[in-house]
Amino acid sequence: MVSKINPNPFTTRPEIEGTFGVVTSTHWIATAVGMATLEKGGNAFDAAVATAFTLQVVEPHLNGPGGDVPVIVHDVRKGKIEVICGQGPAPAAATIAHYRGLGLDLVPGTGLLAACVPGMFETWMLLLRDYGTMHLADVLAPAISYARNGHPLVERASATIGMVEHLFREHWPTSAAIYLPGGEVPKPGAMFSNRTLADTYARILREAESAGGDRIKQIEHARKMWSHGFVAEAIDKFCRTQDVMDTSGEAHRGVLTADDMARWQPTIEAPATLEYGRYTVCKGGFWSQGPVMLQQLALLRGFGLDGVDPASAEFIHTVVECAKLAYADRETFYGDPKFVEVPGETLLSEAYNAERRKLVGEMASLEQRPGTIKGFGKQLPLRVPAGARTVAAGAGEPTVGKIWTHDDVHDPSVIVIEDAKLDSAGAMRGDTVHFDIIDQAGNMVSSTPSGGWLQSSPTIPELGFCLGSRAQQFWLDEGHPASLAPGKRPRTTLTPTMALRDGEPYLAWGSPGGDQQDQWTAQFFLRHVHAKMNLQEAIDAPAWHSEHFPASFWPREARPGVLVVEGRLSADTIKELRRRGHKVEVEADWSEGRLTAASRVGNRRRAAANPRGMQGYAAGR
């Protein structure tokens, strides 16, 4: 590799720096709420809960109370990094036989059949109870206020409502009642409120405060109202009584029950880790896609990336080819370790990746090439789109709103997905939010809440929110590690990250974007480490993503060889990538990723946020 780093990288904003604390998130209001919580004496975990509840309100097209969340924390009292798994499992009645009996070959991407146990509320209560210091009212009040009094609707939320307007009018009237105020799609910048959601959280708060002044008792009472009380009862009734249109083109009832909710609680575990030079990178376990970033780094350790221009064809080609190998292993081996044995130690080992690294050549691979580990894994037929269609036909976290095309396929191991089946229910992809917070004491939190998007399933009228659709990440194929089973966690794409440097907690970062999350977070880290870019520079730099491997969301397609890049890459770089065999699609100059990041060194706190989409902001002092 010979391309050298640009000595003057472009940046849109300053890297925020101070000694008191920093908050960075995908929405400026949530960042302000998190910072205000620190100013009021809360710690990073209090601020995280306040930020998270606010994000549910101001970015309802990207996350909601019915969704799920992983959290990575560093608590200075414990002196270690921990992962909180807020990924709810499949309901007890969610069996492959039940879904196959309905004539389905995939879990639908929207509707009630796609719902797992909602994991967010219980997770935020655990974080507040065991790591935080504030009362429930302190962290819920901003979200209740914005839900009741309104907030300026961001452009993408308005556009999302517009995309599903027909679905709401024809099939999901309870959603239309909230998201089509006055019978119209709300315009960007309009003050938008969800008073039913405000009432739900206000009722939980009133019930919690009736338990007395003790902080812990109030939190426990709030949990009871959610998982054992009126919230669980309303969800149970809705799933039992409503036939809901979904991406299959047919209406189905759900299988989630109040008993499923009552039986589940979030868990705390050690992170999966990888040593990368001075850094120890920490992710969620193999129930998530998090280790796929670690395996990319394990592969990349064998290439000399120091001093190489991260916008060069050599750099991008090498990173993309390593990503293809890691994601192929994700598809073949990952699943809930409570149900299947995942060969995680082997997948992240130097010996295994030294052999895999030999597959990276001069030209782009157009094949899916998982490794072979005897006794583990299962490879499924590839699903590819036929003809051309818009990305909005899917039901998971999006890339960008482009037209998809694919060459004709004549391989019997490949399933061609026809357009008519995809668009029958007018589905629209959802996305995700992210935030990173570090307080004065050095506590750190990184989280990627998602699911329960306004377009996931119909709004439950008594509650003001809908259920999530994470079950679409299961396969309905017996014997696959990520196949559907009652009580099993789907292999979530949600994947916050932390890293130690020289043994000290240093960096927290992440991005929305489904399968792209661990591509964009890896790129950010590589730019920061090898190109010596600061946090903002590493976020602002031109980015890309591969669509080579199967997507995690309905209809689970792959686009072999496709590499989507921002138009800011040089013409020479794009030409060279195409010469190497990549099917390069050039998108808008600022279209890839919604990263945020925060770091601590001694008493100094730094933060940065993505300028793409004009929503994310960092704050600190």
Side-chain angles (χ1 to χ4, degrees), residues 89-100 104 106-108 113-116 255 339-340 470-491 556:
T95 65
I96 291 177
H98 177 69
Y99 287 68
R100 289 286 189 181
L104 301 171
L106 291 176
V107 177
L113 282 176
C116 288
V255 294
F339 283 73
V340 296
R470 191 65 54 179
Q472 66 183 289
Q473 297 192 251
F474 287 115
W475 291 106
L476 298 180
D477 292 82
E478 298 284 358
H480 191 277
S483 62
L484 177 67
K488 189 176 184 179
R489 291 172 291 184
R491 190 211 65 210
R556 311 302 298 270

Side-chain angles (χ1 to χ4, degrees), residues 1 296 300 303 305 308-325 357 359-366 369 523 526 544 546 561 563 565 569 573-574 576-584:
M1 291 189 172
Q296 289 177 77
L300 288 164
F303 298 91
L305 297 181
V308 179
D309 182 358
S312 68
E314 306 108 281
F315 186 95
I316 296 170
H317 171 79
T318 302
V319 173
V320 168
E321 292 305 297
C322 289
K324 290 176 182 178
L325 296 173
R357 198 178 294 131
L359 296 174
V360 177
E362 172 72 13
M363 300 302 289
S365 170
L366 301 181
R369 299 184 292 178
Q523 291 169 38
L526 294 169
W544 64 87
S546 171
L563 175 61
V565 304
L569 286 178
T573 294
I574 293 170
E576 173 63 11
L577 289 169
R578 285 176 170 152
R579 186 196 68 80
R580 291 177 181 237
H582 297 280
K583 299 179 181 180
V584 179

Side-chain angles (χ1 to χ4, degrees), residues 109-180:
T110 59
L112 298 179
L113 282 176
C116 288
V117 174
M120 278 212 206
F121 188 85
E122 286 275 14
T123 300
W124 300 134
M125 292 304 96
L126 182 153
L127 187 67
L128 184 65
R129 182 192 69 193
D130 295 352
Y131 298 84
T133 64
M134 286 183 157
H135 280 71
L136 183 59
D138 298 322
V139 297
L140 258 182
I144 293 173
S145 176
Y146 281 113
R148 189 176 306 285
N149 301 319
H151 57 90
L153 195 68
V154 295
E155 186 276 333
R156 288 310 307 161
S158 174
T160 299
I161 296 169
M163 288 291 294
V164 291
E165 177 186 4
H166 176 75
L167 180 67
F168 283 9
R169 293 188 190 279
E170 296 296 319
H171 300 291
W172 296 1
T174 57
S175 294
I178 289 178
Y179 293 105
L180 299 175

Side-chain angles (χ1 to χ4, degrees), residues 154-486:
V154 295
E155 186 276 333
R156 288 310 307 161
S158 174
T160 299
I161 296 169
M163 288 291 294
V164 291
E165 177 186 4
H166 176 75
L167 180 67
F168 283 9
R169 293 188 190 279
E170 296 296 319
H171 300 291
W172 296 1
T174 57
S175 294
I178 289 178
Y179 293 105
L180 299 175
E184 301 293 334
V185 176
K187 290 180 170 54
M191 293 299 289
F192 182 83
S193 61
N194 184 346
R195 294 182 180 87
T196 306
L197 177 59
D199 290 343
T200 295
Y201 279 143
R203 179 177 174 183
I204 289 174
L205 184 56
R206 286 196 307 272
E207 296 281 355
E209 291 179 333
S210 72
D214 182 81
R215 192 181 79 90
I216 302 299
K217 286 183 178 178
Q218 288 186 7
I219 294 170
E220 289 301 313
H221 205 64
R223 292 182 56 234
K224 184 177 180 181
M225 289 300 98
W226 181 272
S227 297
H228 300 261
F230 78 94
V231 174
E233 291 168 1
I235 290 172
D236 184 293
K237 178 183 176 182
F238 195 78
C239 288
R240 282 187 292 105
T241 62
Q242 301 300 306
D243 294 296
V244 169
M245 178 64 69
D246 58 41
T247 56
S248 71
E250 298 180 2
H252 296 105
R253 293 190 179 185
V255 294
L256 180 65
T257 68
D259 188 53
D260 292 317
M261 293 183 63
R263 289 202 309 261
W264 180 82
Q265 292 185 22
T267 53
I268 302 172
E269 60 190 52
T273 62
L274 184 88
E275 300 300 320
Y276 190 83
R278 300 171 61 191
Y279 300 87
T280 303
V281 184
C282 305
K283 301 289 286 189
F286 287 89
W287 48 268
S288 74
Q289 77 170 8
V292 82
M293 178 186 165
L294 303 182
Q295 191 178 355
Q296 289 177 77
L297 296 178
L299 290 161
L300 288 164
R301 282 188 300 204
F303 298 91
L305 297 181
D306 280 346
V308 179
D309 182 358
S312 68
E314 306 108 281
F315 186 95
I316 296 170
H317 171 79
T318 302
V319 173
V320 168
E321 292 305 297
C322 289
K324 290 176 182 178
L325 296 173
Y327 275 87
D329 282 348
R330 180 197 74 166
E331 286 304 305
T332 301
F333 298 109
Y334 288 23
D336 187 347
K338 293 180 180 179
F339 283 73
V340 296
E341 186 178 357
V342 180
E345 186 174 342
T346 297
L347 289 170
L348 299 181
S349 69
E350 176 56 30
Y352 178 79
N353 286 290
E355 288 300 310
R356 300 282 280 149
R357 198 178 294 131
K358 295 175 183 177
L359 296 174
V360 177
E362 172 72 13
M363 300 302 289
S365 170
L366 301 181
E367 300 175 354
Q368 307 294 321
R369 299 184 292 178
T372 300
I373 304 176
K374 188 176 180 180
F376 295 94
K378 181 179 180 180
Q379 189 173 8
L380 298 176
L382 205 62
R383 302 170 65 90
V384 299
R389 65 178 184 80
T390 62
V391 74
E397 295 155 12
T399 52
V400 287
K402 58 184 178 296
I403 299 296
W404 286 22
T405 60
H406 200 281
D407 297 335
D408 291 338
V409 175
H410 303 287
D411 186 339
S413 67
V414 172
I415 299 172
V416 179
I417 312 302
E418 298 297 335
D419 294 351
K421 185 176 181 181
L422 296 177
D423 296 328
S424 57
M428 172 66 187
R429 290 189 173 224
D431 197 2
T432 300
V433 299
H434 183 83
F435 62 83
D436 304 292
I437 302 173
I438 305 177
D439 65 21
Q440 190 171 31
N443 295 306
M444 304 171 66
V445 57
S446 181
S447 183
T448 314
S450 186
W453 314 299
L454 66 88
Q455 63 275 24
S456 294
S457 63
T459 298
I460 299 170
E462 300 94 332
L463 302 177
F465 65 84
C466 63
L467 295 172
S469 56
R470 191 65 54 179
Q472 66 183 289
Q473 297 192 251
F474 287 115
W475 291 106
L476 298 180
D477 292 82
E478 298 284 358
H480 191 277
S483 62
L484 177 67

